[in-house]
Amino acid sequence: MAMSDPLADMLTRIRNAVMVKKSSVEIPKSNTKVEIARVLKEEGYIVDYRVSQQEGEQGTLIVDLKYDEEGGSVISGIQRVSKPGLRQYAKAGEIPQVLNGLGISIVSTSKGIVTDKNAKAQNTGGEILCEVW
């Protein structure tokens, strides 16, 4: 089956890995996914990420998932907002809060992929890729 939405695939893989308490999850690499992993790490939702790549291959993004002392995942929810068939864009002042600020939106702006807070701070809007809480 062709991947029509690789980003949704990434989020689903993370969700599924979290449900079965895996320590890490492998995802086909793309620059966008690596940037999203970077934001997740900066915001404390994952332990780390790395890229393994053989020459001439797409490469694999490996995300190390994060759990609390009770073994519960730090990511309680992660969902796609903007979809290929229905893109969701927002101006800097209109980026919605996730769970009254308890979660984050990951926004693709002209200055790169950042959190909703960073986008507002830079006063740039963009495409709301996904929400994490």
Side-chain angles (χ1 to χ4, degrees):
M1 190 183 120
M3 278 305 309
S4 59
D5 189 359
L7 202 50
D9 174 64
M10 171 187 185
L11 303 182
T12 301
R13 285 176 193 233
I14 291 174
R15 253 195 313 273
N16 292 346
V18 159
M19 284 197 307
V20 294
K21 305 251 184 282
K22 282 194 148 172
S23 60
S24 67
V25 58
E26 292 188 5
I27 302 158
K29 175 191 157 289
S30 78
N31 292 345
T32 304
K33 293 179 199 170
V34 171
E35 285 299 295
I36 288 173
R38 177 186 57 77
V39 171
L40 289 174
K41 182 183 177 187
E42 281 171 10
E43 294 295 312
Y45 285 104
I46 62 172
V47 178
D48 207 354
Y49 66 94
R50 59 197 175 282
V51 173
S52 77
Q53 196 159 7
Q54 271 79 45
E55 204 167 327
E57 281 187 24
Q58 179 186 3
T60 304
L61 171 66
I62 300 153
V63 174
D64 296 326
L65 301 167
K66 191 171 180 179
Y67 297 94
D68 60 21
E69 294 78 44
E70 289 88 54
S73 171
V74 175
I75 297 174
S76 54
I78 185 165
Q79 71 178 15
R80 189 83 160 99
V81 176
S82 188
K83 299 178 175 72
L86 183 64
R87 299 280 183 202
Q88 297 290 334
Y89 296 96
K91 295 189 177 101
E94 295 166 7
I95 298 170
Q97 273 198 327
V98 180
L99 293 182
N100 293 323
L102 294 175
I104 61 164
S105 292
I106 298 180
V107 185
S108 176
T109 71
S110 56
K111 297 176 180 156
I113 293 177
V114 295
T115 64
D116 48 358
K117 293 179 189 72
N118 289 353
K120 284 176 188 165
Q122 295 171 359
N123 199 26
T124 57
E127 183 182 352
I128 301 170
L129 299 175
C130 58
E131 295 178 343
V132 190
W133 65 92

